[in-house]
Amino acid sequence: MQIQDLPFQDPGVPDARSGPRFLWWLGRNQLGGQFKSLAWGLLHFTSVAGLPFCVGVAIEAVVARSGTRLALSGALLALCGVTIALGDNFLHRTAVTNWITAAARVQQLLARKTAQLGSALTRRVAAGEVVAVSTGDVEKIGWFVEAVSRFTAAALTVVLVCVALVVYQPALGIVVAIGVPVLALAVLPLLPRATRRADEQREKAGRATELASDTVAGLRVLRGIGGEDLFLDRYRRASQEVRHAAVRSARMWALISAIQVLLPGLLMIAVVWYGVGLARDGRITVGELVTVYSAVMLLGYPLRHFEEIAMAYSFSRPSAKRAARVLSLERATATEGSREAAVPSGDLYDPATGLLAPAGRLTAVVCGDPNAAGRLAERLGGHAPEEGTSVLLAGVPLDELPLDSARTAVLVQDKDPVLLSGTLRELLDVPASGDVTAEEALAAAQCGDVLEALAQGSLDAEDPLDARITERGRSLSGGQRQRLALARSLITDPEVLVLDEPTSAVDSHTEARIADGIRSLRAGRTTVVLTSSPLLLDLAERVVLVHEGEVAAVGVHRELVRKEPRYKAVVTRETDDETAADALLGRRSAAPGEDAVPKDRRTALSDVLDELEEIEETA
């Protein structure tokens, strides 16, 4: 495959059982590129190894005063020079292609896994680790994949040179044939320690990346509470730990490199010392000695690839392990979709809680626990964090729909939506039905002041839609980010829209207008809002109270406030003392035509309760 053919139509199904298995799977999927690199590598390395034999022939020709043999050796040297250049050029091209291809395949696999898991990914793997895998780890994995073919070519060249030296000059060739394997295997005892230090460095670097990501994400809050210096000090300590680990790892690799230089030097000294003695005794010629000496000297070039492959594997193995851990994650309700790719239309029903959201109506859901509300929103969108009964849309389980169809049918906006950097126009350029325009969505989400702020901050943008949004919308307030995210969801216009606390960061006046905008724009479409805001609840056509994981009450807001104490406690934030006073008094909200319990009776009972508490404390 060529670089211009990227990305892959299908990156394949990876073997993510372990890091080494994942590396092996990548290599098997690039056999064509590996064989091309191997062929060009053999041409390059064997041409380099052939230079000493050409030099030996030239020296013998000079000694024998043979012009023909000297011309032949010159022609062979020229041929070796051409093949060296040709092989090196195409070896580099094919090796880089293998590197980029492997890295692109891993990135596509990670992107596909991220799309499959959705919001569940960051609950199971830290965001910093995902960033580290998709950036630095991808490069190291690609490095090992492309280094394999060059190492194989270098190893075959070393074997061929040793065999050729034994045939060419057995006395010295045997010395070389014995010494070269020692050179190649001498560093093996040091590799486990070098690998452990590389693993330690990668682990510490991953923790530092996670800490940096978390610090940047919460910088606005940290500045507000004065914790900026504290977290910066933590990051400094983490970065120093990474530096120390990197130095320890570099020391080990420096030792391995020194051995790779020292041992070939010792072998060369041994060959020269022994060869000089053989030449003095007349057992070999000067040309043969120079040939063997030059061959041993040039063997250091392919032997360096033994060190490279060891280093590449040591650095890529923990990276491949991290990538395999992410790629091995599966959806809690994993399914390939047994139904046709169609978007059903009808009621949304959750068998686990008994929640029913009728088609075409605005349903508000009240949960006492915000975390439970978030989990319920994810369930309604088919992103359940754990296995269980699937949510039904028009009687069709979402798990049985293809993933794309399920996500087209139900869109979930969580309580902390993310804005990507770019222009506002690009932010709103999302898959949509086309029935809702950007202007209508922005107006319903009350984004008028947001547009003004963006226009003032982007002087070169004549249209507010061309104003740029910084990374994650950090230049905007929490309410502004929330409203832009709501506009993005509204313009999508899905069959079912699930909103988790869409107005938690705005004031009450804006919240009332947003509630009215959502109701008007989503008229005739199924909308589920998880909230405890009375303004939103009062406009909902149907309100459902979910208590301890089950539907506890259904009605409209004002009716539930009067008749359901648990609902009132969540919506009005009534204290325990007030609830106890109401229970002892038998207080109930005034129904139409009825009088409420007098205030003086509630005050008197509160005084009695206070006195009882003081008596209990004294006792």
Side-chain angles (χ1 to χ4, degrees), residues 235-486:
Y235 180 73
R236 289 190 188 98
R237 290 195 296 270
S239 64
Q240 289 300 313
E241 290 179 3
V242 175
R243 185 179 68 84
H244 291 312
V247 170
R248 282 170 49 82
S249 179
R251 286 174 179 170
M252 183 56 62
W253 288 112
L255 177 60
I256 292 175
S257 298
I259 292 175
Q260 292 282 31
V261 173
L262 175 63
L263 294 184
L266 294 177
L267 177 62
M268 191 177 303
I269 293 173
V271 168
V272 171
W273 177 78
Y274 184 56
V276 168
L278 294 177
R280 184 182 300 155
D281 296 338
R283 297 171 57 184
I284 63 172
T285 64
V286 175
E288 291 174 336
L289 176 60
V290 172
T291 298
V292 175
Y293 167 78
S294 301
V296 173
M297 182 178 65
L298 291 178
L299 275 178
Y301 175 51
L303 281 174
R304 283 202 297 271
H305 290 79
F306 285 71
E307 175 190 350
E308 182 196 16
I309 194 65
M311 182 180 294
Y313 180 73
S314 297
F315 280 92
S316 66
R317 189 179 66 84
S319 297
K321 180 180 178 181
R322 288 150 62 104
R325 183 165 62 249
V326 174
L327 295 175
S328 64
L329 298 176
E330 297 292 343
R331 286 165 47 86
T333 53
T335 177
E336 295 298 327
S338 57
R339 295 180 180 263
E340 296 181 358
V343 179
S345 177
D347 297 344
L348 182 68
Y349 177 68
D350 178 22
T353 60
L355 172 64
L356 174 66
R361 299 177 65 184
L362 174 59
T363 302
V365 181
V366 176
C367 295
D369 181 5
N371 294 327
R375 291 191 296 269
L376 176 58
E378 291 173 350
R379 275 187 54 78
L380 295 177
H383 307 284
E386 56 189 20
E387 294 185 4
T389 307
S390 174
V391 173
L392 306 178
L393 179 60
V396 178
L398 284 182
D399 290 350
E400 296 183 6
L401 292 174
L403 190 59
D404 291 342
S405 298
R407 290 183 173 175
T408 301
V410 183
L411 174 66
V412 178
Q413 177 182 306
D414 60 26
K415 61 171 61 74
D416 187 22
V418 175
L419 302 183
L420 302 179
S421 60
T423 65
L424 181 56
R425 192 183 306 278
E426 292 170 342
L427 176 70
L428 300 178
D429 184 16
V430 293
S433 66
D435 295 335
V436 179
T437 64
E439 291 75 14
E440 292 173 337
L442 291 168
Q446 300 299 310
C447 294
D449 63 317
V450 184
L451 296 178
E452 293 178 3
L454 289 174
Q456 292 175 0
S458 302
L459 300 178
D460 56 340
E462 298 181 0
D463 189 339
L465 291 178
D466 294 326
R468 295 199 63 81
I469 300 174
T470 57
E471 181 187 3
R472 298 178 66 92
R474 299 190 194 283
S475 60
L476 303 173
S477 67
Q480 291 173 329
R481 290 196 300 270
Q482 195 173 60
R483 283 177 282 164
L484 284 179
L486 177 59

